[in-house]
Amino acid sequence: LSSDSTVSCATCHDPKKGLTDQSKTSFGISNNKGPVNAPTVMNSAYNLLQFWDGRASSLEDQSQGPPQNALEMFDGKGHAWNNLVGRVRKKGDYTRKFVEAFGCEPNRDVIAKAIAQYERT
C-alpha cells in the first residue's frame, strides 16, 4: 500500500512474527526509522484504543494512519489516500473483489474497513 509499493501492512505486522516486526523501532518507506515499533495486531479487536498512544478509537480509524504517515508509507507526493485508492484499483482483480464484498469499487472508506476486518481475524 505504500507510495512506492515497497511497504505493506505485513511489512511491520508480519504473520510469521506474531503480527509484528519484532524490532525495537519499525522501518517504513525509504528505510525511514520510526519512533516506536509496530504493535501486534493479534487480538487488536479487543483493544479499547489503537496505536501505542491510543489516538485511534477503532480499527477503521487506525488503518487510515500508516498510509498517510511520511515515516511509514507516504512519500509526500500528492494526496496519500487518493494515490493509494488508485493503486488498489489497478491491482489485479481487487476492484471486482471490493465490489463483491462491499458493493462498490475501492475507496478510502472500504479499504479501511477491509484492513480493519483483516485485523479482527
Side-chain angles (χ1 to χ4, degrees), residues 1-5 29-30 32 65-84 87:
L1 292 180
S2 70
S3 296
D4 65 358
S5 300
I29 193 170
S30 301
N32 291 328
Q68 57 193 357
N69 183 307
L71 290 176
E72 297 181 44
M73 299 179 116
F74 182 46
D75 64 9
K77 298 174 186 169
H79 184 277
W81 270 95
N82 288 347
N83 296 346
L84 185 147
R87 286 192 302 279

Side-chain angles (χ1 to χ4, degrees), residues 81 84-85 88-89 98 104-113:
W81 270 95
L84 185 147
V85 169
V88 170
R89 287 183 179 185
F98 270 88
C104 63
E105 291 188 354
N107 61 52
R108 181 177 179 163
D109 183 51
V110 296
I111 292 171
K113 287 178 182 178

Side-chain angles (χ1 to χ4, degrees), residues 2-69:
S2 70
S3 296
D4 65 358
S5 300
T6 62
V7 178
S8 70
C9 298
T11 300
C12 296
H13 304 284
D14 186 342
K16 294 177 184 173
K17 295 179 180 178
L19 296 168
T20 184
D21 58 7
Q22 298 181 357
S23 297
K24 288 185 181 183
T25 56
S26 298
F27 288 86
I29 193 170
S30 301
N31 211 31
N32 291 328
K33 184 177 180 179
V36 296
N37 65 353
T40 183
V41 296
M42 189 177 299
N43 294 323
S44 60
Y46 300 106
N47 294 345
L48 297 177
L49 299 170
Q50 306 298 324
F51 291 112
W52 287 119
D53 62 4
R55 69 183 178 272
S57 61
S58 69
L59 289 171
E60 287 78 6
D61 186 26
Q62 176 278 323
S63 68
Q64 295 186 52
Q68 57 193 357
N69 183 307

